[in-house]
Amino acid sequence: MKSTDDPMARHISELLECHHGSPIKTSPTFSDNHYDDHIGGWVSDLWGQTK
């Protein structure tokens, strides 16, 4: 995507091109939460911890 004047679009395009052909590793956790495929959403990792 070299024909655009939008710097953000160009940056995203470059990021996608540099990862082309190699899988992007993702983390299944985010800020004390994890994604549960069984419920189709994010679940807190802090459940059951005493406060």
Side-chain angles (χ1 to χ4, degrees):
M1 177 182 286
K2 295 176 180 21
S3 63
T4 182
D5 291 329
D6 183 349
M8 181 58 79
R10 203 167 42 246
H11 176 69
I12 293 170
S13 177
E14 290 171 6
L15 288 174
L16 291 172
E17 287 174 5
C18 79
H19 288 291
H20 183 69
S22 62
I24 299 172
K25 295 180 182 179
T26 59
S27 173
T29 61
F30 177 75
S31 186
D32 295 325
N33 295 286
H34 68 276
Y35 190 83
D36 187 336
D37 285 324
H38 292 84
I39 64 165
W42 292 91
V43 180
S44 173
D45 293 333
L46 304 177
W47 284 58
Q49 291 185 0
T50 56
K51 295 182 181 182

